[in-house]
Amino acid sequence: MKKVLIISPYFAPVNAADMHRVRTSLPYFKQFGWEAEIVAVQPLYTDIGTDDLLCTLVPKEVKIHYVRSLDKRITSKIGLGAVALRALPFYRAYVNKLLSCNKFDLIYFSTTQFPVCVLGPYWLNKFKVPYVIDMQDPWHSNYYQGKPRNEQPAKYWFSYRLNKFLEPVAMKAVSGLISVSEDYTDQLKNRYPNLQNVPAATITFGMYKDDVGVALENSFPSILDKGKINIVYAGRGGADMHTAITPVFSTLSKLLQLQPNKFKNVRLYFIGTSYAPANKGTASFKALARQYGIEQYVIEQTNRLSYYHTLNTLSNADALFIPGSDDSRYTASKIFPYLMVGKPILGLFHPKSSALKILKDAGINTAYDFDTISEDNITAFINGALNKTSQTIYVNADVLKEHSAEYKTGLQCQLFEQAIKYANNDLPIF
């Protein structure tokens, strides 16, 4: 049995999106010949909410190590807020002790807190343990260059320069890359010639059906209006999603003008659209709704719900809406929770988004791209929600298997094996 040490600054019970790949893979690592241990930051040092239910399905035998972090209340005074940076020296010291006393075959960075990945080459040099990086998002990206300041993330000037400096440090000796988008990997290989022969695999997040059971077995306060027709999106916001949302707002505005009595009970919910701490987020879509005169029909809650509260809310919606980014590389891993709850889905994505193919393969015939979506498509979907003509969707069984957490864990473990061989100069050149 080989051993992998997983570096995931956020982990259960912290309610962070980037830890779900690890959480849903843990029940399956052993069947593929791997024993996993995790090193995370103690939840008290993070500013993301916690949910004890996230620990429910974590195998009891998995060792979870916790490290400290500098206090954000102090470091934020000098502009240092990212948990990866605040925890970096503690990670270095703690994992040094772990690697000195225990044999690990591989280190796996699975996080969007990318700065911690710079420790990979350090541990490789000191302990001869190869490392793999999981690219759940782009790290250094030019996407926001030249965009108006109000469309750029907070502290973009600093983070852009920091990422440009740190990414090549982490990539110089990596032995394997996992990515949710092939474009992310291609971009890295174009940027760094040394990555040309590094094993790489595109592996999206997997569906973990047991999560739905946990969500439905527990009670949560409802944020939906039971007297209305609720069409729900739960996920991050951002100006890059306006291209997907605009045709929906425009169509609903016209429907309300033509037949106000018929469509007056439609409500579009956007939940958890900001990564900011509770009650400090900035709305992404309310101003756009105001432009179309439908602000009273659009409810945006920037505060994030817990993962299981979100699943429960999706399960109780009349229909679901998944808007994609105008960035073709963006892949909506959130589509899998949507598929798991079996509700009608309206998906709208960039023509090159991999999410389109996944939804269509799953049997969702209401997934469209920006170029082909029409008012008739959107009207038909809203009418279906109003008439409750399609309350349950049945996802293709082969797709359920292909995108299950178990299957995706197997793919990760295949990449682990390739990374070890590559590190030992035993991997054939492709």
Side-chain angles (χ1 to χ4, degrees):
M1 186 79 67
K2 293 185 175 71
K3 291 185 67 175
V4 58
L5 186 65
I6 301 175
I7 307 299
S8 179
Y10 293 132
F11 191 68
V14 176
N15 184 38
D18 67 346
M19 65 90 189
H20 284 294
R21 188 198 294 280
V22 174
R23 183 185 66 84
T24 59
S25 297
L26 287 176
Y28 305 109
F29 276 126
K30 280 195 173 181
Q31 76 183 60
F32 295 107
W34 286 84
E35 180 181 339
E37 295 186 20
I38 299 166
V39 186
V41 175
Q42 292 180 16
L44 65 92
Y45 291 106
T46 74
D47 55 7
I48 295 179
T50 60
D51 178 9
D52 289 337
L53 286 176
L54 288 168
C55 301
T56 304
L57 300 175
V58 175
K60 297 294 189 289
E61 69 272 14
V62 173
K63 289 184 181 178
I64 305 174
H65 308 269
Y66 289 101
V67 300
R68 295 172 53 210
S69 164
L70 297 174
D71 192 327
K72 186 177 180 179
R73 292 173 296 181
I74 298 173
T75 61
S76 61
K77 295 178 181 178
I78 58 171
L80 185 62
V83 70
L85 295 173
R86 292 186 287 115
L88 204 61
F90 301 96
Y91 258 113
R92 181 178 181 273
Y94 190 92
V95 173
N96 279 355
K97 292 180 181 179
L98 270 182
L99 296 177
S100 296
C101 304
N102 302 271
K103 182 185 183 304
F104 288 92
D105 298 278
L106 189 73
I107 296 171
Y108 181 30
F109 294 91
S110 186
T111 178
T112 55
Q113 291 293 311
F114 290 118
V116 74
C117 298
V118 299
L119 290 171
Y122 167 75
W123 288 324
L124 174 64
N125 182 62
K126 187 176 180 65
F127 298 102
K128 310 306 178 188
V129 182
Y131 64 98
V132 168
I133 295 178
D134 177 12
M135 300 298 297
Q136 297 183 21
D137 281 327
W139 185 350
H140 171 55
S141 171
N142 294 319
Y143 175 77
Y144 290 102
Q145 286 292 90
K147 291 188 178 294
R149 181 169 295 183
N150 66 313
E151 294 184 14
Q152 296 176 348
K155 301 180 183 177
Y156 175 71
W157 185 93
F158 173 75
S159 62
Y160 176 83
R161 286 155 180 78
L162 180 68
N163 293 341
K164 186 177 182 179
F165 173 73
L166 293 182
E167 185 183 77
V169 175
M171 294 298 163
K172 68 181 180 182
V174 68
S175 292
L177 293 169
I178 290 175
S179 172
V180 298
S181 168
E182 188 174 357
D183 283 346
Y184 296 171
T185 306
D186 289 344
Q187 186 179 66
L188 289 172
K189 291 196 171 189
N190 288 334
R191 190 177 292 159
Y192 307 110
N194 65 292
L195 298 182
Q196 292 305 311
N197 297 319
V198 168
T202 301
I203 307 173
T204 55
F205 282 31
M207 290 186 278
Y208 194 34
K209 290 290 288 183
D210 290 353
D211 277 340
V212 178
V214 174
L216 296 179
E217 289 165 4
N218 289 272
S219 298
F220 301 93
S222 176
I223 63 172
L224 305 179
D225 188 334
K226 293 182 179 179
K228 308 297 181 184
I229 300 300
N230 301 304
I231 302 174
V232 177
Y233 164 72
R236 75 161 181 90
D240 62 311
M241 291 184 170
H242 283 194
T243 303
I245 291 170
T246 295
V248 176
F249 282 6
S250 174
T251 299
L252 180 58
S253 176
K254 291 177 181 178
L255 292 175
L256 286 164
Q257 292 175 35
L258 292 171
Q259 295 178 278
N261 288 333
K262 179 178 180 180
F263 295 99
K264 65 182 180 182
N265 285 330
V266 173
R267 295 293 181 272
L268 297 177
Y269 280 82
F270 297 86
I271 301 168
T273 55
S274 174
Y275 290 122
N279 302 317
K280 294 185 179 180
T282 301
S284 296
F285 310 127
K286 286 294 285 185
L288 185 62
R290 196 171 301 116
Q291 290 179 28
Y292 286 93
I294 59 170
E295 60 267 34
Q296 73 184 87
Y297 302 94
V298 174
I299 296 90
E300 181 174 2
Q301 175 181 307
T302 59
N303 290 354
R304 293 168 57 85
L305 298 181
S306 71
Y307 176 70
Y308 288 114
H309 192 175
T310 298
L311 271 184
N312 184 277
T313 302
L314 295 178
S315 298
N316 285 293
D318 295 290
L320 308 175
F321 174 40
I322 318 178
S325 171
D326 60 15
D327 183 351
S328 64
R329 299 168 302 165
Y330 176 74
T331 57
S333 292
K334 69 177 73 68
I335 66 177
F336 296 113
Y338 282 69
L339 288 172
M340 288 193 300
V341 301
K343 293 289 182 173
I345 296 172
L346 173 64
L348 187 49
F349 299 93
H350 190 285
K352 295 182 179 179
S353 172
S354 61
L356 273 174
K357 183 178 186 306
I358 294 172
L359 287 173
K360 289 180 178 179
D361 287 348
I364 308 301
N365 59 8
T366 48
Y368 306 97
D369 64 61
F370 300 154
D371 296 336
T372 61
I373 188 71
S374 70
E375 287 185 3
D376 288 344
N377 298 144
I378 299 169
T379 299
F381 184 83
I382 294 175
N383 272 319
L386 278 171
N387 300 328
K388 300 183 182 294
T389 55
S390 179
Q391 283 304 288
T392 303
I393 60 171
Y394 297 95
V395 178
N396 182 298
D398 290 336
V399 170
L400 285 176
K401 181 178 180 181
E402 180 185 348
H403 292 289
S404 68
E406 180 179 6
Y407 184 78
K408 300 292 187 180
T409 304
L411 296 179
Q412 291 172 71
C413 292
Q414 288 178 24
L415 190 281
F416 293 171
E417 300 285 352
Q418 292 177 339
I420 291 174
K421 290 180 180 179
Y422 179 84
N424 293 331
N425 297 314
D426 192 31
L427 191 74
I429 300 300
F430 298 112

